[in-house]
Amino acid sequence: MQIEKQKLIYKGKAKSVYETNDADYLILHFRDDTSAFNGERVEQLGRKGQVNNRFNAFIMQKLDAAGIETHFEQQLSDDEVLVKRLQMIPVECVVRNFAAGSLVRRLGLEEGQALTPPTYELFFKDDALGDPMVNESLSISLGWATAEQLAQMQALSYQVNDILKKLFDEGGLMLVDFKLEFGVYHDRIVLGDEFSPDGCRIWDKDTKKKLDKDRFRQSLGDVIESYEEVAQRIGVPLN
Ligand code: ADP
Ligand code: UDP
């Protein structure tokens, strides 16, 4: 069956989600909109949609090749991707190799402190509440996921970390932390959403220069140029 894009069903902060003529598939459109602080600050950054679409396609295919099931089906255009339609679980799964961001603020740690072994946190995906931290117990009690699904999400998040830490390391980069979202597809836990510099922290190994969305959050400039530098250093084809 030829997949056709149909109506817009959701416009998020960075992506628009379209139904298709097949109930099992969606089309995600990566826009140039860039937001921070749970949508409080929004700007358009030229080329971001394309760069993140290509970055995400590259990472998702690497993960699929390593045996992690993802929603990625096919890159359709510069800024669109065909994905499996998941029943999303409303928690953000964060793996951290080094302290940064909310962890530093919460515990007063020094940014860059190594976390050995890497740590794992869950946040409720709710902009109005500021994505509060939650845990497995609450996620089960509130019916967001089963204990088995949550255990799978944690194991998969750590596997993703092992695969990607190595990939970034080979490009002279540190994978500081990242966020994943999972959903259910025909009773299986599948990795959804995106993996791009918008949802992770990546530093140069030698200089510790930030090359991710913190450049936007902290108004450091050269946001997309930095995303492109990371892409080039890990071998993402940008043209
Ligand atoms: P947000 O909702 O945080 O503003 P986006 O702008 O990235 O984020 O919007 C994309 C939305 O699509 C997110 O809510 C995400 O959970 C959802 N999503 C991502 N992948 C899938 C998928 N495969 N199936 C269903 N929903 C998905
Ligand atoms: N993150 C994300 N979306 C969110 C919250 C966090 O992609 O809604 C990513 C963020 O880019 C970082 C990691 O998850 O790579 C950990 O974020 P943290 O808890 O430190 O929150 P922040 O400092 O971004 O508020």
Side-chain angles (χ1 to χ4, degrees):
M1 181 164 71
Q2 179 74 26
I3 300 269
E4 284 166 24
K5 183 162 141 184
Q6 294 187 335
K7 75 171 197 296
L8 176 73
I9 54 169
Y10 177 76
K11 187 171 179 198
K13 297 185 296 295
K15 301 191 287 303
S16 299
V17 182
Y18 293 86
E19 261 176 351
T20 70
N21 52 335
D22 186 325
D24 266 344
Y25 296 98
L26 294 173
I27 292 174
L28 303 182
H29 170 218
F30 286 74
R31 305 194 315 273
D32 287 344
D33 295 329
T34 312
S35 71
F37 316 116
N38 296 308
E40 246 173 62
R41 192 170 133 223
V42 182
E43 276 173 41
Q44 296 272 314
L45 296 179
R47 304 197 299 286
K48 197 194 72 147
Q50 303 184 23
V51 172
N52 278 1
N53 189 33
R54 293 203 165 111
F55 201 106
N56 175 63
F58 178 84
I59 297 284
M60 290 281 170
Q61 288 174 92
K62 283 265 176 222
L63 296 176
D64 269 318
I68 295 192
E69 188 178 6
T70 80
H71 67 161
F72 178 86
E73 285 290 317
Q74 193 192 336
Q75 194 184 313
L76 297 175
S77 68
D78 273 353
D79 53 10
E80 287 174 314
V81 63
L82 180 69
V83 297
K84 296 184 186 85
R85 182 179 198 152
L86 312 183
Q87 197 66 45
M88 296 306 287
I89 293 171
V91 296
E92 302 190 332
C93 304
V94 170
V95 177
R96 301 178 187 273
N97 295 304
F98 299 90
S102 70
L103 179 64
V104 163
R105 294 195 295 275
R106 199 163 69 238
L107 298 182
L109 303 179
E110 191 180 330
E111 187 180 65
Q113 178 179 331
L115 301 165
T116 321
T119 190
Y120 177 73
E121 298 174 341
L122 297 181
F123 296 88
F124 176 40
K125 193 173 155 58
D126 187 311
D127 286 333
L129 295 175
D131 292 346
M133 193 175 186
V134 292
N135 60 22
E136 269 87 358
S137 168
L138 193 58
S139 304
I140 297 163
S141 299
L142 294 174
W144 295 335
T146 65
E148 195 195 349
Q149 288 172 334
L150 291 158
Q152 274 183 49
M153 288 156 62
Q154 175 167 353
L156 288 166
S157 297
Y158 278 126
Q159 278 179 44
V160 168
N161 189 43
D162 288 341
I163 297 160
L164 297 186
K165 224 169 33 176
K166 186 161 174 287
L167 176 77
F168 285 104
D169 183 69
E170 286 164 1
L173 299 162
M174 289 161 67
L175 179 58
V176 173
D177 60 27
F178 61 87
K179 180 268 296 179
L180 300 177
E181 292 182 28
F182 293 91
V184 179
Y185 183 77
H186 296 284
D187 294 329
R188 304 194 300 277
I189 287 287
V190 171
L191 177 62
D193 204 49
E194 71 180 271
F195 191 103
S196 75
D198 267 3
C200 64
R201 290 193 167 92
I202 302 161
W203 298 348
D204 179 89
K205 237 189 323 191
D206 297 327
T207 65
K208 307 288 186 286
K209 182 179 175 193
K210 295 175 180 175
L211 297 166
D212 53 68
K213 197 170 165 183
D214 273 349
R215 298 203 73 78
F216 177 73
R217 295 189 188 98
Q218 300 173 11
S219 303
L220 299 172
D222 291 335
V223 180
I224 301 308
E225 290 76 5
S226 300
Y227 288 20
E228 287 168 333
E229 179 182 335
V230 174
Q232 179 258 318
R233 286 169 68 170
I234 63 168
V236 179
L238 284 183
N239 295 301

